[in-house]
Amino acid sequence: MTTKTPHAQGLMGGLTNYGDAGFAAYLRRSFARSMGYSAQMLAKPVVGITATASDFNNCHRGVPELIEAVKRGVLAAGGLPLEFPTVSLGEIFLNPTSMMFRNLMAMDVEEMIRAQPMDAVVLVGGCDKTVPALLMGAASAGKPAILLVTGPMMTSRYRGERLGACTDCRRFWAQYRAGKVSDEGIQRVEQSLATTEGTCAVMGTASTMALIAEAMGVTLPGTAAIPAVHADRLRAAEATGQRAVQLIGSGLTLERIVTQASIDNALRVLLACGGSTNAIVHLAAFAGRLGLKVSLDTLNRISDETPVLVDLKPSGTHYMEDLFAAGGSTALLRRIKEKLNLDTQTITGERLSDWLNGEAEWIDNDVIRPAENPISPQGGLVALFGSLAPSGAILKRAAADAGLFEREARAVVFTSLEDLAARIDDPNLDVDADDFLVLQNAGPIACGMPEAGYLPIPGKLARAGVKDMVRISDARMSGTAFGTVVLHVSPEAAAGGPLALVRSGDRIRMSVRERRLDLLVEADELARRRASFKPTVQVSGQRGWAKLYREHVLQAEHGCDLDFLRKE
Ligand code: FES
């Protein structure tokens, strides 16, 4: 790693505006001393640390201990560590959906990094929306920043079977809905699914974001997969604090580190690890903050030439702690290094080629498969285009039933989440296993794009043993979910996309081979329907964040960022 002599403004950076700089500096020193710091400490370069712990965020339960370790590293390297609170987004604790607040957190992070006197910042977080929000905010703030993820949870056991949030959450819930697990059984599962601090234990959104962040060079090498409770996680935190001090004066901002080649590397890793569909949206938003792009055509090209190598749920069988034991994130990057652009810059000051120099000491081939024995020969995600999705839609083919990929079928339409909840288990619902379930008005403008795209199998079909159906919506899906689920249909129904015009009984054709998704309805009939179209927007409120969000949120292919926050 390169070490620079800090050229820091420290606490005297960005003085409060009184029209008298001398007075502002004197007052700031005075008030800072009231916190018990010596003059010697107050003269040091300042490293800010985002404090994202919250009693509403189980995944960040370990953040206070991580911050203590970061502070050790900052002090050892000659800096003054100062933590500051930000919005914290606990995935399961937010209404209507955490996605509606990712941009709010990103704005908070950006403004607090810029407004407060810090020379560099350590971004500490892990739960699904936190890592993208931290990176988006720090990218726009423009100060040197380094990411430290919380790390994944450990697995637990239920009747001898391993359990990990949250693929197993959904598996057992589907069994419960089908009458195969008792009330008592589901209660036992409920208390065993998430038993330690840290992020979801599978290749969900949090794990995917951690891996692609490392691939983009914005974390220390080898840190993405370290379990939250492992001592190595604290050592990584200490080293991250040290590196943050060294970043001061280096000019290594996220804008300098992350290029289009870094974004394409991230896509490559996302595909090789069978990662979350949500990561596409978050990566597009982060790229947009830097004037870069995630192209769905590029996704398809890279997907066709990138096998899925990581055997983790929901696409495979293992958990994040197994990925760590198998050699961790560095082993994965080494395994696919011929497909990466190794000239990209990293937070260490080195190139990716320097990190990945040499061969891995050992890799567990059951968890990180060799290219000759992949989980699937092509990447985990694919983008579909057509008359139903002019700006694209996403299918996680690695977690889907390939037997459903080339189909034409009848649409069974639900016009909203409320309509879905009211009718999906109706014994009189006109549906059979070959139909396509279609959900409208669950996109970014309509209701914040919740993880509702994993429509439940209608109760009567679930009880008859149906496990998967084609489901199509403008919603998202949890990275831990599985099934033949077409997501992020764009433009969304509430924006007047063709999805809004689908009616029950229409025919839809899907061809994954051709990357097509088409609504087979005559143009004049569609024109008739369009004439009576009225947008359905459920993000309520004429004030505050809901108003700002609704008026400025972009569609999925632009990462659902707000239009005025992107770098053009
Ligand atoms: Fe926080 Fe899954 S709920 S990572």
Side-chain angles (χ1 to χ4, degrees):
M1 289 183 189
T2 55
T3 305
K4 290 252 180 189
T5 309
H7 298 286
Q9 290 185 291
L11 275 183
M12 293 302 108
L15 288 172
T16 312
N17 204 349
Y18 295 111
D20 179 346
F23 174 72
Y26 147 79
L27 206 58
R28 183 172 289 176
R29 281 193 301 270
S30 171
F31 278 59
R33 292 189 87 155
S34 81
M35 293 188 275
Y37 291 106
S38 65
Q40 185 193 12
M41 287 304 294
L42 294 179
K44 290 178 182 292
V46 173
V47 173
I49 307 169
T50 61
T52 54
S54 159
D55 286 349
F56 293 99
N57 191 341
N58 61 294
C59 301
H60 288 202
R61 181 154 62 87
V63 164
E65 193 182 15
L66 280 180
I67 288 179
E68 286 312 306
V70 171
K71 286 181 173 176
R72 276 204 306 273
V74 172
L75 288 167
L80 172 63
L82 296 176
E83 66 180 84
F84 62 100
T86 71
V87 169
S88 181
L89 301 176
E91 187 64 24
I92 313 299
F93 295 89
L94 288 155
N95 176 273
T97 167
S98 63
M99 186 62 186
M100 222 187 102
F101 304 103
R102 183 203 62 186
N103 298 340
L104 178 66
M105 179 175 180
M107 286 174 76
D108 174 12
V109 169
E110 173 185 346
E111 299 300 341
M112 288 303 100
I113 291 174
R114 192 183 290 120
Q116 298 175 127
M118 62 190 79
D119 300 299
V121 60
V122 178
L123 310 166
V124 184
C127 193
D128 286 14
K129 308 301 175 295
T130 309
V131 167
L134 289 169
L135 290 176
M136 289 160 69
S140 297
K143 289 184 184 175
I146 182 169
L147 176 69
L148 172 71
V149 295
T150 58
M153 295 179 201
M154 303 297 284
T155 54
S156 183
R157 295 287 189 282
Y158 169 68
R159 294 187 172 172
E161 188 179 347
R162 279 177 96 187
L163 290 188
C166 218
T167 303
D168 298 321
C169 317
R170 294 168 205 288
R171 186 164 57 85
F172 276 98
W173 188 251
Q175 289 178 19
Y176 177 63
R177 277 176 54 79
K180 301 208 167 80
V181 171
S182 66
D183 288 344
E184 194 201 351
I186 201 72
Q187 282 168 24
R188 291 253 170 86
V189 169
E190 181 182 300
Q191 69 191 42
S192 307
L193 281 166
T195 53
T196 76
E197 68 195 51
T199 47
C200 285
V202 298
M203 191 54 73
T205 306
S207 303
T208 308
M209 289 308 301
L211 284 170
I212 69 177
E214 183 170 326
M216 289 189 289
V218 300
T219 68
L220 287 184
T223 56
I226 303 169
V229 296
H230 199 292
D232 281 355
R233 173 63 53 204
L234 294 174
R235 281 185 276 274
E238 187 179 304
T240 300
Q242 285 192 326
R243 183 61 193 151
V245 178
Q246 294 161 355
L247 287 175
I248 298 168
S250 70
L252 278 180
T253 58
L254 294 182
E255 188 158 26
R256 274 275 306 282
I257 293 170
V258 178
T259 60
Q260 191 63 50
S262 322
I263 298 287
D264 291 350
N265 280 349
L267 274 179
R268 186 78 71 174
V269 170
L270 165 61
L271 293 161
C273 73
S276 162
T277 48
N278 289 321
I280 290 280
V281 177
H282 299 320
L283 191 61
F286 176 55
R289 294 299 184 102
L290 299 168
L292 306 172
K293 194 167 164 42
V294 171
S295 143
L296 295 184
D297 289 322
T298 304
L299 170 76
N300 279 345
R301 179 178 55 74
I302 295 180
S303 190
D304 285 345
E305 56 187 46
T306 307
V308 179
L309 298 181
V310 177
D311 185 359
L312 254 63
K313 293 187 176 193
S315 308
T317 52
H318 296 94
Y319 296 87
M320 281 300 284
E321 66 194 70
D322 305 318
L323 176 63
F324 177 63
S329 45
T330 307
L332 170 63
L333 293 177
R334 280 222 170 89
R335 188 137 268 178
I336 62 168
K337 75 177 178 184
E338 287 76 23
K339 292 184 183 293
L340 297 173
N341 184 328
L342 297 175
D343 278 338
T344 49
Q345 177 76 56
T346 74
I347 201 86
T348 64
E350 300 170 314
R351 304 266 158 196
L352 195 55
S353 53
D354 299 316
W355 286 15
L356 303 180
N357 212 357
E359 289 306 309
E361 247 176 65
W362 176 81
I363 298 179
D364 181 343
N365 289 330
D366 283 343
V367 181
I368 306 174
R369 302 273 193 94
E372 321 72 80
N373 180 30
I375 294 283
S376 94
Q378 294 175 313
L381 306 180
V382 67
L384 307 178
F385 299 90
S387 61
L388 187 51
S391 301
I394 297 288
L395 170 72
K396 186 172 187 178
R397 61 179 164 185
D401 177 354
L404 300 176
F405 284 1
E406 309 300 324
R407 299 278 309 283
E408 183 193 312
R410 183 180 72 141
V412 175
V413 178
F414 300 91
T415 56
S416 67
L417 290 168
E418 291 70 27
D419 184 36
L420 175 71
R423 294 196 294 126
I424 191 73
D425 289 336
D426 182 344
N428 297 319
L429 181 67
D430 179 13
V431 65
D432 66 51
D434 290 332
D435 291 332
F436 288 178
L437 303 179
V438 176
L439 172 65
Q440 298 166 326
N441 296 308
I445 297 172
C447 55
M449 208 180 183
E451 292 185 338
Y454 177 72
L455 277 69
I457 302 296
K460 66 179 181 184
L461 297 181
R463 284 189 295 280
V466 176
K467 294 202 168 51
D468 196 6
M469 294 173 71
V470 174
R471 289 158 268 183
I472 300 170
S473 75
D474 45 13
R476 294 176 304 115
M477 171 174 90
S478 165
T480 62
F482 47 89
T484 310
V485 184
V486 179
L487 303 154
H488 312 180
V489 169
S490 179
E492 66 173 297
L499 182 67
L501 308 181
V502 186
R503 302 287 179 266
S504 285
D506 288 349
R507 306 291 294 178
I508 294 175
R509 179 173 175 269
M510 179 171 86
S511 170
V512 176
R513 189 172 49 234
E514 296 170 22
R515 312 284 187 263
R516 296 290 306 180
L517 187 67
D518 291 296
L519 175 59
L520 308 179
V521 175
E522 296 299 327
D524 49 352
E525 171 59 19
L526 289 178
R528 248 191 312 278
R529 293 179 190 177
R530 184 169 292 289
S532 58
F533 166 74
K534 285 198 190 66
T536 304
V537 176
Q538 293 147 33
V539 172
S540 57
Q542 285 304 314
R543 62 188 301 279
W545 175 248
K547 185 173 189 318
L548 187 68
Y549 170 87
R550 193 178 57 239
E551 290 173 355
H552 293 281
V553 70
L554 296 166
Q555 294 291 288
E557 67 273 20
H558 301 301
C560 303
D561 203 357
L562 302 190
D563 51 11
F564 58 86
L565 293 173
R566 287 162 65 82
K567 180 177 178 188
E568 296 305 334

